[in-house]
Amino acid sequence: MAEPNPADQIRQDFAPPQVPVEDAARAMEAFALGHHSEARRVVLITSGGTKVPLESRTVRFLDNFSSGRRGAASAEYFLQAGYAVIFLHRHRSLYPYSRRYAATNWLDVLRLQLPGDGAPRVEAEQSRLPGIVQVLQDYSRMKESGRLLSIEFNTLSDYLHLLLAAAQALSRLGSSAMFYLAAAVSDFYIPASEIPEHKIQSSSGPLQITMKMVPKMLSPLVKDWAPKAFVISFKLETDKEILIERARKALATYRHQVVVANILDTLRGHVVVVTGTEETKLSISDEEERSGVEIEEKIIKDLTLRHTQFMEGTAAN
Ligand code: PMT
């Protein structure tokens, strides 16, 4: 039997998305074409985990650990490198710039001033917001430049519909488009036709569910949706012995350009950039960690260089 077309499978097998995909598709296309016409490279970053409902009137769902830090930090370094960025991220996951203060309790930072002769004022205790002056400068520069488009997903179905729309939006950009797929996407789902409508009752005893495999989007992305783009996937493992082999297997299967391989315990300090011909280890030393250097800065420096070489290579062919 012929393999189902992944785009049809997304539309037929998954619950309807809970986000306005058509509006997002129009916004992504206008953004991508606008920046492309100004000779700017565009990167689509996916970031955060996905939520997989176990009931259609959802009380319970399957989720994962991803905080979105990798994607949010990477977005800042891509913006610094001059890219226009579509930031396709999980609702309430970490966001560029504000990510640094995600754990801040604002009620402890803000101070209420009650001058006797005027209206109450709110001031911030600057010492509790490290680096805030630089962050505000970078943030307002980025906003003025119009180079960041933010699109949110929540469920796995939202993510898949939006990724398809993003790929279509970027397909006319050829090799100047980059896909940087840092999201941790569920491998399992319950098809729309099989999902229970109401809350699963605990009185029915232990729960047994059979979930189907989510189609890997890398395959149609590279083959059909944006075949000229520069595509980077990520590979997360917990066992370092199998990491590089799994990254190489992904490259051989999907035939894209780069896998960034990371291990759960060390993902903030070490990654390996794996291509068809080489493996480049990137690390943060203790000294660098103390001075606030982030691994994403090194990843983006490496990848933007490779993107240039890729564009030059495709132009020469
Ligand atoms: O968000 P943080 O807390 O900072 O964590 C960052 C991270 C560890 C999540 C990130 O660095 C990372 O490794 N993300 C990929 C996790 C992973 O191993 O994904 P995967 O093996 O399930 O998928 C491989 C690649 O295919 C990924 O690039 C994924 O985005 C993509 N994929 C996955 C499933 C699917 N249906 N379609 C896809 O395209």
Side-chain angles (χ1 to χ4, degrees), residues 106-312:
W106 289 96
L107 297 183
D108 287 337
V109 172
L110 301 177
R111 293 267 168 270
L112 187 59
Q113 304 294 341
L114 297 168
D117 54 347
R121 263 198 339 268
V122 175
E123 288 177 358
E125 202 178 309
Q126 194 178 330
S127 62
R128 301 185 74 154
L129 299 171
I132 188 68
V133 171
Q134 184 67 51
V135 170
L136 281 172
Q137 280 171 344
D138 292 348
Y139 182 70
S140 61
R141 213 172 297 132
M142 175 282 293
K143 285 218 69 154
E144 271 166 35
S145 76
R147 285 191 290 115
L148 178 65
L149 176 69
S150 162
I151 307 279
E152 283 188 354
F153 63 85
N154 202 2
T155 65
L156 171 66
S157 170
D158 298 343
Y159 170 84
L160 296 173
H161 282 87
L162 287 168
L163 182 67
L164 171 58
Q168 286 165 346
L170 266 65
S171 63
R172 284 156 62 190
L173 274 53
S175 63
S176 67
M178 186 197 286
F179 288 80
Y180 181 88
L181 305 173
V185 184
S186 175
D187 283 326
F188 310 104
Y189 76 110
I190 304 177
S193 56
E194 292 170 27
I195 194 164
E197 179 183 355
H198 292 287
K199 183 184 169 199
I200 300 168
Q201 295 299 312
S202 58
S203 55
S204 311
L207 180 61
Q208 281 194 345
I209 347 175
T210 305
M211 302 182 92
K212 271 177 74 172
M213 294 298 297
V214 176
K216 286 278 181 202
M217 290 302 121
L218 266 171
S219 186
L221 176 72
V222 176
K223 258 201 292 188
D224 307 318
W225 300 345
K228 296 195 172 137
F230 188 62
V231 178
I232 294 125
S233 73
F234 277 72
K235 179 49 71 187
L236 175 75
E237 293 294 344
T238 50
D239 176 357
K240 66 177 186 316
E241 301 305 323
I242 62 166
L243 180 66
I244 300 301
E245 168 212 321
R246 303 294 302 162
R248 292 229 155 274
K249 182 151 185 266
L251 280 178
T253 307
Y254 303 114
R255 309 203 151 277
H256 58 304
Q257 286 70 41
V258 180
V259 175
V260 178
N262 46 191
I263 290 288
L264 184 63
D265 291 345
T266 56
L267 69 100
R268 308 288 172 220
H270 304 275
V271 301
V272 187
V273 177
V274 185
T275 69
T277 51
E278 47 180 331
E279 286 159 25
T280 308
K281 290 187 179 147
L282 303 177
S283 297
I284 293 292
S285 65
D286 292 347
E287 176 64 38
E288 286 174 323
E289 194 183 338
R290 274 193 294 277
S291 56
V293 179
E294 296 181 300
I295 191 84
E296 288 79 11
E297 181 175 356
K298 298 193 180 194
I299 299 174
I300 277 51
K301 195 168 170 207
D302 179 286
L303 293 178
T304 51
L305 271 175
R306 290 182 198 277
H307 191 196
T308 303
Q309 288 160 3
F310 176 78
M311 289 172 70
E312 287 167 358

